[in-house]
Structures are given as structure tokens and as C-alpha cells.
Amino acid sequence: MTKQLLFISLCLSAFFCQSQDSLYVDLSSPYGSIRTHLFYLQDEHYDEQNAAQPFLHPGVSIEEAIKKAIELKQAWDGEGTFINMEELPRDANHLDSTRNRYHYVIDKHHPAIFLEKKNGKWLYAKSAFPVIEEFHDNVFPFGTDKLLDLLPKIGTRKIMGLYLYQYLGILILALISVLVHKVFSVLFEEIITRLLLKAGYERLADHFMLPVARPISLFVVILLLRVFIPVLQLPPDTSHWIMLALKALLPLFGTIVFYRLVDVLAMYLENLAKQTESTLDDQLVPLLRKTLKTFVVGIGTLFILQNLDIPIIPLLTGLSIGGLAFALAAQDTIKNFFGSLMIFIDRPFQIGDWITSGEIDGSVEEVGFRSSRIRTFRNSLMYVPNGKLADSTIDNHGMRQYRRFYTQIAVTYDTPPELINTFVEGLRKIVENHPDTRKDYYNVFLNDMASFSLNIMFYIFFEVPDWTAELKARHEVLIEILKLGKELGVHFAFPTQTLHMENFPGQQSLSPSYESPEEMNRKMAAYFSTQNQNT
């Protein structure tokens, strides 16, 4: 961590043993000017005019110089800036190598506030005066610098390193912080919760807003302390650590608030996803929630590190190099991640769809960042990498508008043709009357004369959403077929063998006898003649 060090060492009694005040002012080097400025604003040696000497340019009034000297000291103490006196250059001809001139930047966080050598004296640059005023306003926002006028310029007796007014200020801030925390907690837990309950967002009120309320109230308390702690003008080392803690806690509680608000956003998106027909949207919301939470934590961590004065550029550079090595080692994982993105963009299937792809055969239960979960019909669970799914051919049975049902209805050979026609017409009426069958396309015909039966092709489609509804529709249609067959006296065939004894003693031979060809031709002509008359 960069040392913004504040250690104003005042063990300078040997140097300040002279009797005349003019001998106390040293502007011969950056060290002497800064020491003169800060030394004479200490309670034990308070002298505004001497402290203002490093600001006293030609044409600058003593009142303005005093104001800038006090403002800069107050801002440094309020911010908790450390200045290491031992590191200040004592060379009267100190040269800034980067600018090649007599120039010295005191704090790299405020490079516009610097010393420059003018006529043999090291003075605060006149161009830094408006920057000092802006710096002072940033440390004491909302006019809190007016409270500094209430503090004694020369303190009373110290108790354990602090003045009495500082102890009193700490007590008042503690009481106000507790009060603000309670007020904001009640505000969120009572008022907003009641409004949400009236609007019908009971789950949002119970599970999400209450966990968000407390971090928000603490966030407000940290902001309050961040504004008023500088007013107490605590000792530099104490102020440094307190302000450092507050600067770290501010993004920490901000991160917690946004982390909890991600759940609120996710619940709102869940309600939107439920209004769509696609079930894949329902699975996208948890992935989005995880992504946003990871993003919030990452950004919050960077802000915390930055506020702790930890340089994040080298860290990001190291992460980028490490990320390249990680990417090379995790090619499959990255491939699966982009595979999941392609699944969400192309939407080849939805949650609950029955899909087939190679050895994969089952219903989709979940689509994750790396893999998807498929529930097989053996009730086992398959974890399939999304990269493999994205690159493979997927047969989505769940996206069928119609589900085909094909079977052969076998009747015995002794069934009369007239009965077969009547039975076929009845089968077609069953299709027409069922609520879940496709009416514009089906085929019911006598289709085959098999080895032991006459086969009627029954080829229809069901318009149902899932396999369970399909099975139910099949059951209902088959039951109607059995009822119709029983009513008409149709005998359904099954594999049988009939043994005929053609010649048996004392019985007429069963061997078939055929008429002459002339008689056969006569009967055929008569049959077709009758058919032509009927048509």
C-alpha cells in the first residue's frame, strides 16, 4: 500500500530554541517550508502568521495566506493524510528530474498542490490556491467546514490523546449513527414492506427487501461518518486509520446492497418469464442472477482495493496474463460456456422437452453454465456438456405439434367384406369424434392380407402437449376400437395355425375341387357386370 504517511515529527526543540519568532521560519527547502507550515498550526506553537509564510507570495495578503494554510492543514488532518517528514528533501536546490525545475509534489494523490522555489524561497505554488480550496470543500462537503469555526484554535488539556470536545463529538456521532440506522431500518421494514404487501409482492417484502434494508441503513451511516469525522480534527494517525476503514466500508456495504438487489431484479424477471410460453426463460433467470452477483462482487472488490490505496492496475495486468493462461488450460470449460450461450440464443429445446441426440435420450431438467441435466426414462440423470449439445444434432420431440400413432388392426379371414367396410367407417368416426386427434389428415384403410389376418392400417395424429397426454389419448382411442369391434361382432385375429386332414377314412375328402375354366370366366364376367351396374 502506498504510504501517504503522516508523521509530522515535532521533535525539533533544538532547532527552535531561538528567542525571536523570525528565526523560527525556514523557507530554504521543501522540508523547512512544510515544517514551518505545520509546526505553527500545532496547539503548543500556534501562530497563524508564521504558518502562512510558505503561502505569502508577492501580491497575496496575509489574510489569504493564513486562510490557505489553515484550509490545507484541516483538509490533510480531516482526510487522514500522512506526510513523512523524514522523506522530505532538505536540499535548497532540490530539482524535480521529471520536470527539470525546482518543483516538489507533497502528496501524489494531489499533484496540483506543490512547492516551487521563488527568489530563494520554497513556497506553495500560487496556482495551488484554488486546488486547496476545492480539496477543502471535498473533505468538508455540505458546508460542514462551518462547524470547524466552533472548535477552539488552541485546544484545552488532552485526555488520552484527545480533547474533550473530540470525545463529545464522537459521542454525538455515535448517537446520531444509531438513530439513523434505526430510522432507515424502520423506513424500509415498515413503510416499504407495507406498500409491497398491499401491491401483492409478499415474497419480495419478506425475502428480499428486509435483507436489503439493513445494509442500506448501514451504508447511510458510513456516509454520515465519512462527512462528519473530518470535522473532529482527530490526531493524524487516528484520522488516517478511521478514514481508511470508512473508505473501505463504504464500497463494501454498497456491494452488499447491490448484491441483495440482484435478487429483487431476478424475482421481477422470474415473473416476466412466467408470462412467456418458453420455459427456457425460466432457466435463464438463475444464470443471469449468478452472473450479476459475480459481476457485483468483482466490481465491489476493485472499489474496496482502490479505496485502500492498493494499486489495481498491476493487479488487473496480472489477472489478464493469468487469465490468458487459465483460458488456455480451460478451453473445454470456455467452450461449454459459449455452448450455453448458443443454447439460450438458438433455443433448440426448452425445460421439460424430450430430446434425443446420439446416446442422449430424456427430458431436459436444467441448463447451466457448463452442462445441462437430462433425466432419462430410466430415471437416471445425465450431465451433458453444453459444448457437445451445441455441436450435435438434436431431435426435439417436445416441439412436435402432432404426435403420430400408427398400428395395424388385425381381423380374421372369415370376416365378411361388408363388415370390414362398416368397421373401417366406424374407426374413422372414432378419429373424428376424439377431441385430441388431428382431423385434417389421417389414414384408416384395409391395407394388408397377412399370413393369419386381414390388417387394417390405423394411422392418426394426436395434438397433445406431452407424452402423458399422448398415452391418455391412445388409451381412449384403443378402448373405443375394442368397444366398436365388440358391438359389430368383429373378431380380432392373432397368430394361429389350422390343421386340415384332407383324406380321412369314412369321410368326404377335404381336398378342394375347382370348376372348369369356362365356368370361372362366366362367373367373373357376371361379377364385374353387376359391379358396373351398381356404379
Side-chain angles (χ1 to χ4, degrees):
M1 190 195 325
T2 304
K3 254 166 100 183
Q4 263 183 325
L5 212 37
L6 177 29
F7 183 17
I8 304 174
S9 177
L10 301 177
C11 298
L12 306 170
S13 57
F15 185 86
F16 295 101
C17 62
Q18 308 291 334
S19 59
Q20 296 182 1
D21 288 347
S22 61
L23 297 178
Y24 285 76
V25 177
D26 178 14
L27 306 180
S28 63
S29 65
Y31 171 83
S33 296
I34 295 174
R35 184 200 58 194
T36 299
H37 168 212
L38 299 177
F39 181 81
Y40 286 109
L41 292 180
Q42 300 295 323
D43 294 333
E44 298 85 355
H45 315 281
Y46 194 82
D47 188 330
E48 293 179 345
Q49 292 193 1
N50 282 344
Q53 294 302 311
F55 297 83
L56 203 56
H57 288 267
V60 176
S61 64
I62 186 64
E63 290 79 10
E64 184 181 0
I66 291 174
K67 180 182 177 183
K68 297 307 174 187
I70 294 176
E71 283 183 349
L72 183 56
K73 173 66 165 55
Q74 288 175 345
W76 274 343
D77 288 347
E79 191 185 48
T81 300
F82 277 147
I83 299 175
N84 190 346
M85 301 297 294
E86 299 300 325
E87 293 181 356
L88 298 178
R90 299 170 184 257
D91 184 7
N93 296 315
H94 172 75
L95 190 66
D96 189 336
S97 58
T98 60
R99 296 175 175 83
N100 195 28
R101 59 178 178 172
Y102 299 118
H103 181 106
Y104 180 70
V105 176
I106 306 167
D107 178 16
K108 72 174 186 178
H109 292 84
H110 303 284
I113 302 176
F114 60 92
L115 294 169
E116 60 181 357
K117 190 175 181 180
K118 293 285 187 178
N119 300 323
K121 297 180 180 180
W122 282 88
L123 304 176
Y124 286 93
K126 196 172 182 180
S127 62
F129 285 12
V131 180
I132 293 173
E133 184 175 356
E134 181 181 357
F135 178 32
H136 187 266
D137 292 340
N138 290 336
V139 176
F140 302 100
F142 311 113
T144 53
D145 57 324
K146 300 297 187 295
L147 298 174
L148 295 172
D149 298 334
L150 303 177
L151 303 180
K153 294 183 179 179
I154 301 179
T156 57
R157 186 171 62 89
K158 288 186 177 181
I159 303 174
M160 298 180 62
L162 297 179
Y163 296 111
L164 181 60
Y165 70 84
Q166 291 173 328
Y167 282 111
L168 182 61
I170 292 173
L171 177 61
I172 293 174
L173 273 181
L175 294 176
I176 293 177
S177 299
V178 173
L179 180 62
V180 169
H181 176 62
K182 293 295 183 182
V183 168
F184 273 83
S185 296
V186 171
L187 179 66
F188 276 89
E189 293 181 11
E190 298 295 333
I191 301 177
I192 297 181
T193 300
R194 289 180 182 178
L195 292 176
L196 290 173
L197 291 176
K198 288 182 180 179
Y201 291 96
E202 182 177 355
R203 184 185 169 202
L204 176 62
D206 293 339
H207 295 86
F208 297 107
M209 290 311 300
L210 294 183
V212 170
R214 293 180 180 86
I216 289 180
S217 64
L218 291 174
F219 182 81
V220 174
V221 169
I222 297 300
L223 281 176
L224 181 70
L225 295 175
R226 181 72 177 82
V227 170
F228 287 99
I229 284 291
V231 178
L232 297 179
Q233 293 290 280
L234 298 173
D237 53 348
T238 304
S239 180
H240 170 73
W241 293 112
I242 291 177
M243 296 305 294
L244 192 65
L246 293 178
K247 287 195 294 184
L249 289 175
L250 200 60
L252 174 63
F253 284 107
T255 302
I256 295 174
V257 169
F258 281 101
Y259 187 88
R260 299 285 175 82
L261 288 177
V262 169
D263 291 325
V264 178
L265 176 63
M267 198 197 70
Y268 173 74
L269 294 177
E270 284 178 0
N271 292 334
L272 292 181
K274 290 177 181 178
Q275 300 174 9
T276 62
E277 296 181 0
S278 174
T279 57
L280 201 59
D281 295 341
D282 301 334
Q283 194 62 38
L284 180 61
V285 173
L287 291 179
L288 185 62
R289 179 194 291 118
K290 295 176 183 177
T291 303
L292 288 178
K293 284 187 173 181
T294 303
F295 177 77
V296 167
V297 171
I299 296 299
T301 301
L302 291 179
F303 273 105
I304 292 172
L305 294 177
Q306 185 179 27
N307 284 2
L308 289 174
D309 294 330
I310 298 176
I312 62 175
I313 300 300
L315 179 63
L316 294 177
T317 304
L319 288 177
S320 63
I321 297 175
L324 178 61
F326 176 78
L328 293 175
Q331 295 183 41
D332 292 339
T333 301
I334 297 175
K335 177 183 177 181
N336 292 328
F337 172 73
F338 282 101
S340 65
L341 293 181
M342 291 301 101
I343 289 174
F344 283 112
I345 294 173
D346 294 340
R347 298 185 178 184
F349 51 79
Q350 301 180 18
I351 306 303
D353 283 354
W354 167 26
I355 65 171
T356 302
S357 178
E359 298 179 354
I360 304 169
D361 188 17
S363 299
V364 181
E365 285 195 350
E366 181 182 352
V367 179
F369 273 121
R370 180 189 173 276
S371 61
S372 297
R373 293 194 309 183
I374 310 296
R375 179 72 64 177
T376 68
F377 296 106
R378 302 184 304 275
N379 203 35
S380 62
L381 198 60
M382 296 179 65
Y383 287 85
V384 185
N386 289 331
K388 180 179 179 180
L389 280 177
D391 292 338
S392 61
T393 302
I394 298 176
D395 185 5
N396 190 344
H397 305 281
M399 294 187 70
R400 295 175 296 177
Q401 182 180 1
Y402 301 106
R403 295 169 181 255
R404 188 186 67 170
F405 176 46
Y406 169 74
T407 188
Q408 296 277 0
I409 300 175
V411 298
T412 57
Y413 264 95
D414 59 1
T415 304
E418 296 78 11
L419 180 56
I420 292 178
N421 286 332
T422 303
F423 184 54
V424 168
E425 288 298 325
L427 294 176
R428 292 171 180 166
K429 288 185 178 296
I430 290 175
V431 177
E432 292 287 344
N433 294 335
H434 195 277
D436 295 328
T437 55
R438 182 180 180 181
K439 307 301 190 295
D440 60 336
Y441 180 74
Y442 59 88
N443 291 298
V444 181
F445 297 101
L446 179 63
N447 185 56
D448 189 22
M449 302 178 69
S451 59
F452 60 86
S453 63
L454 300 173
N455 293 337
I456 300 173
M457 180 180 70
F458 192 74
Y459 186 83
I460 67 172
F461 295 88
F462 294 112
E463 190 174 4
V464 289
D466 52 43
W467 192 44
T468 302
E470 178 186 354
L471 293 178
K472 179 176 178 294
R474 282 191 184 191
H475 171 83
E476 294 170 351
V477 168
L478 291 175
I479 289 295
E480 290 297 321
I481 291 174
L482 292 176
K483 289 180 178 180
L484 177 64
K486 182 178 179 180
E487 184 68 23
L488 297 179
V490 174
H491 298 286
F492 296 104
F494 51 88
T496 57
Q497 287 185 344
T498 302
L499 181 63
H500 294 275
M501 299 293 293
E502 293 187 2
N503 297 306
F504 197 78
Q507 299 292 332
Q508 184 178 359
S509 176
L510 296 178
S511 298
S513 59
Y514 299 100
E515 297 177 344
S516 64
E518 292 79 5
E519 184 65 19
M520 293 180 185
N521 288 330
R522 186 187 65 78
K523 288 185 177 181
M524 183 182 67
Y527 172 77
F528 284 107
S529 176
T530 304
Q531 292 293 325
N532 292 332
Q533 292 177 1
N534 292 335
T535 57

